[in-house]
Amino acid sequence: MTLLAGQKRYAIEPLFVIAVVFALTAPVFWLRAEINGAAIDAAPENAGLYQWVYPQAHYLQQRLQAGGAPLWNPQQIGGAPLLADPRTALFQPLTAVFLAMPVEQAMAVHAFLSLFLMGSFFCLFLRALGTGYLPALLGGLAFAFSGASASAMSHPGMATALAWTPALWWSLHEYARRQNVGHAVLSGMLAALIVLSGGAALALAFLLTGAGTLSTNAMGAGT
């Protein structure tokens, strides 16, 4: 179940197979969990998605395609800041899908990408801990396709934070193991991506788990 002596920690072939597994299963999971044979907007957990996220994303897309600065949203709650609202997550890379396709399709693709990254990065993190490839895959499946993950897919900001968090754990673990500048910089970038996901409380919780991961690894390295 653990990494064998002489075994590559990140061999290309098994990691590629793992990535393919998540690329194929993420859309299936999302379709079954979110739609489940009924209209997606009829599910109670999707109320926020269609009452707040969808209208905001649609207006943001219109403003950007028209070449205007998305400073203010006059279409919701009598007018509200748009660019200044961190929940917009405009500077989050995964948000770019909303600029490349209609909002309805972008929501689905955003969920697919989030689930794919969640599972793949969690497998990478488990490999860093010395777990075998098959247990790492099973752990990634459990992390990405849990009930909590299904709920997060209705909240793009939460889904994005979940996507980058295991990558941060992996990078911090590698930094504690190797003490190189590259992983330190990468960890800082991943922490910034979590902050830019749009949920301050959730980002704080995930960053604290990252700090715990770093401290635990540092203590282990020192013993």
Side-chain angles (χ1 to χ4, degrees), residues 36-183:
N36 198 24
I40 189 171
D41 56 348
E45 65 269 19
N46 290 330
L49 183 67
Y50 277 85
Q51 294 174 9
W52 183 78
V53 175
Y54 174 81
Q56 184 188 69
H58 193 271
Y59 179 73
L60 177 64
Q61 185 183 75
Q62 287 181 328
R63 291 294 298 159
L64 291 175
Q65 289 178 348
L71 302 177
W72 185 260
N73 182 2
Q75 299 184 356
Q76 291 181 280
I77 61 174
L82 189 58
L83 185 60
D85 188 346
R87 295 174 297 175
T88 306
L90 182 60
F91 302 106
Q92 174 64 239
L94 294 183
T95 307
V97 298
F98 289 94
L99 307 180
M101 60 190 67
V103 176
E104 295 85 355
Q105 297 176 16
M107 285 182 174
V109 173
H110 185 279
F112 299 162
L113 290 174
S114 297
L115 290 168
F116 170 79
L117 294 175
M118 285 170 60
S120 300
F121 283 142
F122 196 78
C123 287
L124 205 62
F125 172 59
L126 291 181
R127 286 295 296 166
L129 296 179
T131 306
Y133 284 106
L134 180 57
L137 174 60
L138 295 176
L141 290 170
F143 180 77
F145 302 144
S146 65
S149 301
S151 175
M153 292 308 106
S154 296
H155 307 278
M158 185 183 299
T160 302
L162 283 170
W164 298 120
T165 297
L168 175 63
W169 296 341
W170 168 77
S171 182
L172 288 173
H173 187 278
E174 287 298 313
Y175 171 73
R177 186 169 68 91
R178 300 182 182 182
Q179 296 291 317
N180 62 1
V181 177
H183 281 99

